[in-house]
């Protein structure tokens, strides 16, 4: 029965990953709540808590795959359906993604472990949820018409600044998509462009972070998984993929007609909830 519950937890975590990776609401905040009330049992896995940390990384591949599937034509520079100009534009889009990824890549390699040790706690997560929630409300209240509607308008300076905003998500509770979207909107990008570009930035950013985590795990525990562990990994990844496909479609449809204020209010409420649960000793936080 305990094995069944671990599979069930893998399904729920895949759902959480698929939803919160793309919405600007912080996957860390939601994972903390789930881990506090119904944590995975480390004793069921050969790698213990390290396997659970690896699982939380591997399920991200499902989310990345969803972006690649949904935007395959737009991201494929070799599509036979594209003419020479369109192929050149696609290569240019990938170059822009790479440039905007540089800040997170450099800062991540230099400070990721230090930031994680310093800031991975319930109070920081709660504060960042609330702070960025307020930022979203303030940005939307400006009610300015976006100056940047297309990728051809994104210059190197703007790309690097968006990348710096994404790097801020190294602080738990910030939300990678939330920081990227907020930064892009502040720099004059439209909501749709900001959200879509945040999806594309996730591909190299999450792949790089995941590869580093997997390398460290294999270095410590070897390359082998039990059949049970492999099924847990595949279950979470497949669920994250299916949920991500649905969430990305719904999210893009939503922001074409609405603003980001609902996500701002949601972040504030979630941050307040986490802080209250922590101060009342209901919520615990396992170090990442």
């Amino acid at each position: 029965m305990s094995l069944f519950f671990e599979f069930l937890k893998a399904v729920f975590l895949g759902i959480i990953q698929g939803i919160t990776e793309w919405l600007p609401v912080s996957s860390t905040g939601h994972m903390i709540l789930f881990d506090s009330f119904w944590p995975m049992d480390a004793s069921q896995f050969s790698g213990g808590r390290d396997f659970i940390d690896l699982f939380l990384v591997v399920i991200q591949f499902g989310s990345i795959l969803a972006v690649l599937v949904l935007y395959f034509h737009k991201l494929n520079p070799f599509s036979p359906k594209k003419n020479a100009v369109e192929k050149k534009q696609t290569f240019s889009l990938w170059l822009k993604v790479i440039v905007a990824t540089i800040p997170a890549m450099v800062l991540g390699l230099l400070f990721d472990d230090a930031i994680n040790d310093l800031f991975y706690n319930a109070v920081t997560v709660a504060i960042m949820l609330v702070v960025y929630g307020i930022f979203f409300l303030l940005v939307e209240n400006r009610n300015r018409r976006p100056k940047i509607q297309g990728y051809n308008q994104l210059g190197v300076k703007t790309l690097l600044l968006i990348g710096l905003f994404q790097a801020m998500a190294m602080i738990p509770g910030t939300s990678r998509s939330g920081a990227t979207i907020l930064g892009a909107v502040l720099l004059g990008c439209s909501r749709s462009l900001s959200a879509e570009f945040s999806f594309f930035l996730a591909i190299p950013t999450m792949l790089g972070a995941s590869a580093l985590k997997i390398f460290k795990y294999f270095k410590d525990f070897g390359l082998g998984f039990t059949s049970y562990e492999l099924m847990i990994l595949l279950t979470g990844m497949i669920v994250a993929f299916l949920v991500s496909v649905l969430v990305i479609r719904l999210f893009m449809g939503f922001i074409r007609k609405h603003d980001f204020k609902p996500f701002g209010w949601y972040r504030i409420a979630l941050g307040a909830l986490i802080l209250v649960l922590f101060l009342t000793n209901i919520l615990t936080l396992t170090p990442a």
Side-chain angles (χ1 to χ4, degrees), residues 24-250:
V25 295
S26 173
S27 58
T28 303
H30 292 81
M31 293 294 187
I32 285 174
L33 286 178
F34 186 89
D35 192 58
S36 296
F37 292 104
W38 202 27
M40 297 187 81
D41 186 357
S43 66
Q44 299 292 325
F45 310 109
S46 58
R49 182 68 202 185
D50 288 299
F51 175 82
I52 296 174
D53 291 340
L54 178 69
F55 168 80
L56 296 176
V57 169
V58 169
I59 59 176
Q60 294 179 356
F61 286 110
S63 296
I64 296 171
L65 182 60
V67 175
L68 293 174
V69 169
L70 289 174
Y71 292 96
F72 181 75
H73 177 69
K74 188 164 190 172
L75 294 173
N76 181 15
F78 306 106
S79 173
K81 297 180 181 180
K82 291 182 177 178
N83 58 39
V85 173
E86 290 172 329
K87 290 179 180 179
K88 183 178 179 180
Q89 291 173 340
T90 306
F91 277 115
S92 176
L93 172 58
W94 275 110
L95 181 60
K96 293 176 188 295
V97 169
I98 293 171
V99 170
T101 304
I102 291 174
M105 179 180 65
V106 173
L107 294 175
L109 288 172
L110 292 175
F111 304 113
D112 185 51
D113 290 338
I115 289 176
N116 192 67
D117 293 340
L118 187 62
F119 294 112
Y120 193 82
N121 57 74
V123 174
T124 298
V125 171
I127 289 174
M128 298 311 294
L129 279 164
V130 172
V131 167
Y132 273 79
I134 293 172
F135 281 165
F136 269 112
L137 297 180
L138 293 175
V139 168
E140 289 294 357
N141 283 334
R142 295 187 318 163
N143 196 28
R144 295 180 181 176
R145 185 173 180 177
K147 299 177 294 183
I148 303 174
Q149 301 283 351
Y151 292 106
N152 61 314
Q153 296 175 275
L154 290 173
V156 173
K157 180 181 177 180
T158 302
L159 291 168
L160 290 174
L161 287 173
I162 292 174
L164 283 174
F165 274 98
Q166 179 179 233
M168 292 179 185
M170 292 167 60
I171 300 177
T174 300
S175 168
R176 189 204 59 79
S177 62
T180 308
I181 290 171
L182 183 64
V185 170
L186 280 171
L187 293 168
C189 299
S190 68
R191 295 189 188 100
S192 295
L193 180 66
S194 300
E196 189 177 85
F197 195 53
S198 78
F199 300 158
F200 299 161
L201 285 183
I203 299 172
T205 302
M206 291 169 63
L207 281 177
S210 300
L212 183 61
K213 188 76 173 182
I214 292 171
F215 172 77
K216 290 180 179 179
Y217 181 86
F218 286 161
K219 182 181 178 182
D220 293 335
F221 297 98
L223 299 176
F225 292 117
T226 65
S227 58
Y228 168 65
E229 290 171 341
L230 187 59
M231 287 301 296
I232 289 286
L233 293 172
L234 289 174
T235 297
M237 189 169 64
I238 292 170
V239 172
F241 166 76
L242 295 174
V243 174
S244 291
V245 169
L246 177 62
V247 168
I248 289 172
R249 285 176 172 172
L250 291 176

